[in-house]
Amino acid sequence: MRTAYSVETVRTAERALMARLPEGALMQRAAAGLAAACAGLLGRVYGSRVVLLVGSGDNGGDALYAGARLARRGAGVAAVLLAPERAHAAGLAALLRAGGRVVGAGADTVGGAAAAAGVGAVEEAILRADLVVDGIVGIGGKGGLRPDAAQLAACAAESRAAVVAVDLPSGVDADTGEVHGDAVRADLTVTFGTHKPGLLIDPARAYAGSVRLVDIGLDGELPDEAALEALQHADVARLLPVPGAESDKYRRGVVGIAAGSARYPGAAVLAVSGALRGGAGAVRYVGPAGDAVISRFPETLVSDRGPKHAGRVQAWVVGPGAGDDASTVAEVLACDVPVLVDADGLRLADRDAVRARTAPTLMTPHAGEAAALLGVSRETVEGARLTWVRELASRYGATVLLKGSTTLIADARGGAVRVNATGTPWLATAGSGDVLSGLAGSLLASGLSALDAGSAAAYLHGLAGRYAADGAPAGAHDVAAAIPEAWRDVRDAGH
Ligand SMILES: NC(=O)C1=CN([C@@H]2O[C@H](COP(=O)(O)OP(=O)(O)OC[C@H]3O[C@@H](n4cnc5c(N)ncnc54)[C@H](O)[C@@H]3O)[C@@H](O)[C@H]2O)[C@@H](O)CC1
Ligand SMILES: [K+]
């Protein structure tokens, strides 16, 4: 399991750890890890040109000490100090001792003969660099970059240099993944002690590039419950249902799919296609698209009566392609088994009816559907996904899976939010959500909690999307067909 902790939690853990260590030890661990990552990226350190962008806090201190390590290995290291009088003094002294220099503001006072002042010199250094290290701000950053820092970030983006962010790309919100204004775009982010939520949630995640975690000994000080959890293969493998010798189709769970309409029979077929690959022992379909479903998937139990009279199920999926069939949605919500509500069902579901349910409810909106339920714009939801997934979960008293480039799954009772990053932009294709709802519903019927069913389904669906697309467009039915391959990969990695 990959976990991320809030800034407040990280600060508390760091204080506890620092109290047991000699002064400066943590920063040295961070700087050593950072320097090693930079060296790895450079390949040959000796003779390379490195520019450090140094803010006024400890994030700049990390950059300066790492710069000193690279300078000792023969790199030409120049530091740009955003606030020369407040730069980390010991770090700066270490850099200068190692043969590094200062360019731009402050160069005349600290750099001696090797210094070069002026904005032109700074830009030139960045444009000629092999590597730019972003030590402007870390977890102490507030808001987007200020104009002077934004100018440096723009210059770094223009340069052919690789950009390494220290702890976080400066300008992004560590706790939420929001980006207000300008931020550094990194090729690699070297983060310390634990991931921060912003590194795993878009839009900030896209600024971080690849992320490397450096162990500074913080683990023992972090609480059990994280702010964010990202399941890995082994975690998902533990969740997947495995039929035992005693299993029959009913013990494995029956999932009911109430989906599709005369206008959208395909949604029903796709939801069933996901459900058949989700581990339930049988898939029961109710709705007007029975013929389409049975001709494609003859193993489906098709009923032309409403959900209440269709026979026993262990979980329902309602909504994909439902059109305006509010009464089916209401009927399903009245059933005392786990229910997944998707697509049209989200619009048709009465909030009080959802809140009144005692069995689990899993809602699976994309950002546009979530925005409509919340009464805000789609952009607002996309810019602050963590905030809004939590808000929606709390308003409906349900588990909410917010689809997107990083899918988030939040429980109404709070606790760690799950983030899934296996998805691919190719998954943004018509019907792909219907496959996901069938898959998640099937896992619900197998007995997984709403949080586990949602996160395991998102994980498998994302992988299946990758396999189906393999760099080229794929249809939703291809994604469904690739679920068994994703399942096998996950299961094999877990043993
Ligand atoms: N506390 C610790 O034990 C450790 C901290 N480390 C580093 O220390 C960092 C945190 O250091 P700090 O608490 O000093 O905070 P930061 O260095 O992240 O930033 C704080 C400084 O930046 C300024 N600032 C805030 N927002 C800004 C903005 N938008 N634009 C420009 N300047 C802005 C503030 O005025 C303040 O001086 C971590 O991210 C990590 O890199 C590491 O050395 C590991 C150990
Ligand atoms: K940074």
Side-chain angles (χ1 to χ4, degrees), residues 70-108:
L70 295 171
R72 283 201 293 273
R73 292 176 60 181
V77 183
V80 179
L81 309 178
L82 276 111
E85 66 293 348
R86 291 196 290 142
H88 195 280
L92 182 56
L95 176 71
L96 297 175
R97 270 199 312 276
R101 64 196 177 103
V102 172
V103 283
D108 44 348

Side-chain angles (χ1 to χ4, degrees), residues 119-196:
V119 174
V122 167
E123 288 188 344
E124 196 189 319
I126 294 175
L127 291 173
R128 293 181 62 229
D130 301 303
L131 182 72
V132 172
V133 179
D134 157 31
I136 301 172
V137 278
I139 58 174
K142 299 267 176 299
L145 292 177
R146 295 172 192 161
D148 51 345
Q151 219 176 331
L152 293 175
C155 188
E158 221 177 282
S159 159
R160 58 172 188 81
V163 177
V164 174
V166 182
D167 212 12
L168 289 162
S170 300
V172 311
D173 190 306
D175 279 339
T176 64
E178 294 170 36
V179 182
H180 300 289
D182 293 306
V184 168
R185 281 197 181 270
D187 299 294
L188 171 69
T189 295
V190 181
T191 200
F192 308 123
T194 170
H195 290 84
K196 321 299 180 292

Side-chain angles (χ1 to χ4, degrees), residues 276-294:
L276 285 168
R277 279 119 177 168
V283 178
R284 201 182 286 288
Y285 172 77
V286 298
D291 289 346
V293 168
I294 208 92

